[in-house]
Amino acid sequence: MQLQALLDALPAPLEPLDVSMLDGYLAGVLLQPKAVPFAEWSRFVLDSEGRAAPGELDTGALFELVLRRHRELNLAIIDRQWFDPWVFELDEDASPSEVVMPWVVGFSLATELFPALTRLDASELLEPLASLYLHLDPDDLEDADELLEEIETLEPPEDVAEAVESLVRSTLLLADVSRPLACTAPPKTPPRRPPPRGPRR
């Protein structure tokens, strides 16, 4: 994958997101109730800690691909349409949660850096956030007792297809809260269908 190759080529000490984390990160950025300026979110693509890239570094080709994916996800969120999360097939012993965890970690990074989404009505956010964060280690969810209680009521996905479908469904349910449709009609039901396989390394 060209984008992953460009991320891998970034020089130390930069620690860029991988493409699965990047995909979840972009979804988290796009779900904010107010648009996050490019200058604020883009630096964390190159380095998860936000360190500045060398001034002579040419990131034009990399961000052309990043912005293309940003537009694709934005259109899917606006139209409440299915999208294919970038997740990678691991070895056959990997659990569904292990497969989608990098995507969720990227999403979580976005909500930590840009917390406006999580400051909205907690009751409406609880179920979709729990469906995402059930893939994380509970020890990583500090001071989130209500969220942990909700996670305990959920059944883990039986396979990767179900886990991926949950990512899409949760994303679009969160969009109903943070980016409601500009009409009086009820929000569209998030799509529920078996997803195609995600990209492979």
Side-chain angles (χ1 to χ4, degrees):
M1 192 177 192
Q2 183 183 5
L3 179 53
Q4 184 63 63
L6 291 170
L7 291 167
D8 289 341
L10 291 172
L14 296 178
E15 296 181 1
L17 305 180
D18 68 27
V19 292
S20 186
M21 291 178 63
L22 170 62
D23 206 49
Y25 175 74
L26 291 177
V29 167
L30 286 164
L31 286 173
Q32 299 304 314
K34 292 186 178 180
V36 181
F38 173 80
E40 293 184 20
W41 63 259
S42 59
R43 61 195 180 102
F44 295 98
V45 172
L46 305 179
D47 184 81
S48 59
E49 297 182 5
R51 287 172 291 198
E56 70 277 8
L57 184 65
D58 183 1
T59 59
L62 187 154
F63 276 111
E64 181 179 351
L65 295 175
V66 171
L67 287 171
R68 180 187 301 171
R69 182 57 174 171
H70 183 277
R71 288 191 294 271
E72 290 173 354
L73 290 172
N74 190 43
L75 288 174
I77 288 170
I78 289 171
D79 294 336
R80 303 298 195 269
Q81 293 296 315
W82 178 270
F83 61 92
D84 294 322
W86 286 353
V87 299
F88 296 109
E89 295 180 9
L90 303 176
D91 61 72
E92 59 184 17
D93 295 327
S95 69
S97 285
E98 288 174 318
V99 173
V100 302
M101 185 183 296
W103 197 98
V104 178
V105 169
F107 175 90
S108 178
L109 174 64
T111 60
E112 290 174 12
L113 295 170
F114 311 108
L117 168 66
T118 55
R119 292 173 179 162
L120 300 175
D121 187 341
S123 64
E124 295 187 55
L125 299 175
L126 188 59
E127 190 274 335
L129 285 179
S131 295
L132 291 174
Y133 290 156
L134 70 83
H135 301 294
L136 302 179
D137 187 325
D139 292 339
D140 294 334
L141 301 174
E142 299 178 0
D143 302 322
D145 293 342
E146 190 174 6
L147 186 59
L148 288 168
E149 289 177 7
E150 180 70 16
I151 289 173
E152 289 179 359
T153 70
L154 302 177
E155 291 292 332
E158 295 184 359
D159 53 34
V160 173
E162 184 180 337
V164 169
E165 182 179 332
S166 178
L167 298 185
V168 178
R169 178 176 180 274
S170 297
T171 297
L172 299 184
L173 286 173
L174 289 170
D176 284 341
V177 181
S178 65
R179 297 180 58 180
L181 297 170
C183 66
T184 57
K188 297 179 182 178
T189 301
R192 299 179 62 85
R193 63 176 176 83
R197 291 182 178 179
R200 301 183 182 183
R201 289 188 185 276

